[in-house]
Amino acid sequence: MPSDLGIASTRLRLAEWGEMAPIVAVRIARKTVPPLLGMALFLCAWQAAHLHYGGFILPSPWQTCAAVVRTLSTAEGWAALGATLGRAVLALGMSVLVGGGLGLFAGYFAVIRATFAPVATIVLGMPATAWVILTMIWFGPSHGAIVFTITIVIGPILYIGTVEAVLTRDRRLEEMAASFGASAVARFRRVALRQILATLGPVLGIALALGFKVAIMAELVTNVAGLGAEMARARAHMNIDMALANVALAVAGLLIIEHVVIRPFQTRSSMWKRIGA
Amino acid sequence: MSGLTLATVSHSFAGRRVLDTVSLVIHSGELVALVGPSGSGKSTLAAIAGGIVKPDQGRIMRNYARHGMVFQQSRLLPWADARANIAFPLTLAGMADDCIAERTEAAAQAVALLPADLSKRPEELSGGMRARVAIARALVVEPDFLIFDEPFAALDPALRRRMQDLVLSLAQARGFGGLFITHDLYEAARLADRIAVLDRQGKGIMGSLAPPGPAGARSEMQIFDFVEQARRAPLLSDLVNVDERALSLDCACDTLGFRRCC
């Protein structure tokens, strides 16, 4: 049997929760209502355009949603989504290794930076479509060709981002660490890397988004299995519902990776910068 | 017995000689203030003394076990809370967690930081609290020599005075020697046992002045009289009269810029 003290404590806690509930509700509303409102406005505009142009030109959000469900109810639909996602993530990983790795060296050594500067400008200036054509000729329409294309398009972005991250770090913190006897490796690991990763977070998000777009475009041109190839097939059959469903899946896939991989990384690596801003 | 000896130290940044055969001896337990006009190479000398910069020429003899260093603008890690910042040198040394915690608490107590302050990040702390954290970080290594590189230059006068009091009380309690870089003659006269004057072009120590009595026991009147008298001495004419606008661009005090001159 609960004691009087226990009941009083529970009542007090309930009263506290009662006082806190409206504050928490307002906070949640402030966080969730604006994005939901934005989504609602977008869907309303889409529906209005559908009513104006008709279902053949622009299917309604509901028709698109039904097409997405149809696509995801088949193994082929999941395979296409998985193939595109897998290529984008694999290419992002390779770009981080190659572009990020070279960027680190270039950031620390001016000679390497000066050597790679024109190369990075040329590679960055090449249109993604040109790379798709070239890789199709070099490797044929294959999975490797698409991964190579994405890597070569987003690699220079990560290279330049890493170089900038290295150059804009606060070197005075490394001097501070040196005064306490930190070795060059310890200064890099404990002081510099933290700052470099914080600057790289947004670059990774941009690189992933671009990589996803390039993946779909490359699949569409090469007709290698993936969301791009599904879009090409939908266009050939004039199946507008399926074309839009694949677009919606591509956007959803990008959002999933962004929120599952990139955002947590950004939060972990650059929270201190946002708090300090 | 000397705590730190800098013998004929010379150093250049990007071809410009910043320090030219500078020699300075700091005895064990002695706190020496180094004054000189902007661009004379004070911070470079502090960086050399602290092992951050290796001089082009000259010898450095350290007759102490460990030194701590307090910088201008604190230089705290912005992603770490005050506790982690204070513990940073011990973390670098790979010390055991319980020992780090114990020594961090002791250092925080020595500079009168409250337990609640220790979980705050640098941007949540005031300028004075940041300075306290920076001093605690230097103390946590249990140094027998401390190097201060204009640590309170960015603080307002009242706060600067409180920080000076803190340094005085710590120096008296722990008996460490040190090098205190400043361009504030009043600060030097309050804190130091001896004031060394660096040539405006870094061409050696021009001479030294000794304020009356031991540091911490000087009255305000004594400090004021000493500073007024010292201002008229030829030794300090450059410090008192130099116009920083007359200095060439490459004398601007930026140890990180491409000139890296002072």
Side-chain angles (χ1 to χ4, degrees):
Chain A
M1 191 178 161
S3 67
D4 289 349
L5 196 65
I7 292 167
S9 164
T10 310
R11 275 185 187 160
L12 190 68
R13 194 160 291 174
L14 283 172
E16 276 175 1
W17 285 347
E19 281 174 20
M20 277 169 62
I23 300 165
V24 173
V26 168
R27 273 191 192 165
I28 292 170
R30 273 188 189 158
K31 213 172 177 181
T32 54
V33 169
L36 288 175
L37 193 66
M39 280 294 292
L41 280 172
F42 173 73
L43 290 174
C44 284
W46 183 354
Q47 181 66 25
H50 159 72
L51 292 172
H52 185 262
Y53 292 108
F56 184 73
I57 301 291
L58 184 68
S60 69
W62 178 248
Q63 282 172 297
T64 308
C65 188
V68 167
V69 171
R70 272 203 309 281
T71 306
L72 290 181
S73 59
T74 62
E76 289 82 9
W78 281 103
L81 180 63
T84 306
L85 280 176
R87 281 173 195 136
V89 172
L90 181 64
L92 184 70
M94 284 171 68
S95 300
V96 167
L97 280 179
V98 179
L102 277 175
L104 270 183
F105 279 108
Y108 277 99
F109 302 104
V111 177
I112 298 176
R113 192 161 62 245
T115 309
F116 279 110
V119 181
T121 310
I122 292 166
V123 177
L124 198 64
M126 287 267 287
T129 358
W131 282 116
V132 176
I133 304 299
L134 284 174
T135 49
M136 267 186 76
I137 295 166
W138 293 339
F139 308 115
S142 63
H143 164 75
I146 297 170
V147 173
F148 180 82
T149 307
I150 307 166
T151 308
I152 203 104
V153 170
I154 63 175
I157 295 172
L158 281 160
Y159 167 81
I160 289 169
T162 311
V163 170
E164 277 306 302
V166 173
L167 292 178
T168 55
R169 76 196 194 277
D170 187 351
R171 274 174 266 188
R172 291 172 305 177
L173 295 177
E174 285 164 73
E175 285 189 355
M176 178 276 294
S179 78
F180 290 108
S183 65
V185 175
R187 292 201 296 274
F188 173 74
R189 202 164 65 84
R190 294 194 179 269
V191 182
L193 192 59
R194 191 76 189 242
Q195 298 177 71
I196 292 166
L197 289 178
T199 312
L200 265 185
V203 180
L204 273 177
I206 293 166
L208 175 72
L210 182 65
F212 216 75
K213 287 172 194 168
V214 172
I216 288 169
M217 186 194 64
E219 286 166 359
L220 196 138
V221 174
T222 56
N223 212 16
V224 172
L227 286 178
E230 291 300 315
M231 277 185 214
R233 196 175 304 152
R235 183 194 60 84
H237 297 154
M238 293 300 280
N239 190 343
I240 311 299
D241 292 12
M242 286 311 287
L244 263 183
N246 283 311
V247 171
L249 277 175
V251 173
L254 182 62
L255 287 175
I256 288 166
I257 295 189
E258 168 117 22
H259 283 87
V260 172
V261 182
I262 305 293
R263 289 282 176 93
F265 170 76
Q266 285 176 344
T267 308
R268 206 177 147 82
S269 64
S270 63
M271 180 61 89
W272 59 272
K273 266 193 165 180
R274 270 176 275 168
I275 290 169
Chain B
M1 187 185 162
S2 65
L4 173 73
T5 304
L6 301 168
T8 59
V9 166
S10 298
H11 194 67
S12 302
F13 281 128
R16 196 182 86 84
R17 182 148 282 208
V18 186
L19 292 171
D20 195 356
T21 55
V22 177
S23 296
L24 178 67
V25 177
I26 300 173
H27 297 289
S28 189
E30 183 188 31
L31 186 63
V32 172
L34 182 69
V35 297
S38 294
S40 58
K42 300 186 299 291
S43 290
T44 303
L45 201 65
I48 288 170
I52 299 168
V53 174
K54 200 166 179 283
D56 296 341
Q57 288 168 30
R59 288 185 68 197
I60 303 148
M61 284 156 277
R62 298 184 177 95
N63 290 319
Y64 52 76
R66 283 170 302 278
H67 69 233
M69 199 159 174
V70 186
F71 297 87
Q72 194 175 357
Q73 294 162 345
S74 305
R75 298 195 191 178
L76 302 178
L77 301 175
W79 54 84
D81 60 16
R83 183 179 280 106
N85 265 294
I86 296 169
F88 181 66
L90 306 180
T91 316
L92 277 176
M95 199 173 269
D97 287 349
D98 51 346
C99 191
I100 288 176
E102 191 183 315
R103 280 171 67 167
T104 303
E105 294 294 329
Q109 271 180 16
V111 297
L113 278 169
L114 299 171
D117 298 325
L118 293 179
S119 53
K120 290 179 182 168
R121 287 206 169 113
E123 76 279 349
E124 297 172 298
L125 297 169
S126 65
M129 297 304 252
R130 281 201 285 264
R132 282 178 198 271
V133 173
I135 295 171
R137 182 179 59 193
L139 292 177
V140 82
V141 297
E142 295 178 355
D144 32 17
F145 194 87
L146 270 174
I147 300 162
F148 297 87
D149 183 9
E150 300 193 48
F152 314 134
L155 303 181
D156 64 69
L159 203 51
R160 193 183 305 171
R161 200 183 153 80
R162 279 221 299 278
M163 291 299 119
Q164 288 166 3
D165 289 339
L166 179 64
V167 171
L168 277 173
S169 65
L170 287 169
Q172 279 167 2
R174 300 183 179 217
F176 54 71
L179 175 65
F180 197 103
I181 308 289
T182 181
H183 54 247
D184 180 352
L185 199 52
Y186 190 86
E187 185 171 63
R190 259 200 108 207
L191 296 177
D193 298 308
R194 180 161 59 94
I195 301 170
V197 184
L198 186 61
D199 175 67
R200 62 178 290 189
Q201 291 179 319
K203 291 178 179 172
I205 301 292
M206 294 168 69
S208 291
L209 296 166
R218 292 168 198 140
S219 67
E220 290 302 311
M221 186 59 80
Q222 279 178 312
I223 295 169
F224 181 80
D225 288 343
F226 171 79
V227 170
E228 286 306 302
Q229 207 176 346
R231 276 179 191 281
R232 289 193 289 275
L235 187 62
L236 291 171
S237 63
D238 275 344
L239 179 71
V240 176
N241 300 318
V242 75
D243 179 2
E244 66 277 9
R245 287 169 299 183
L247 292 168
S248 57
L249 182 65
D250 58 2
C251 283
C253 188
D254 174 15
T255 56
L256 297 169
F258 78 104
R259 294 264 184 196
R260 292 172 62 90
C261 66
C262 51

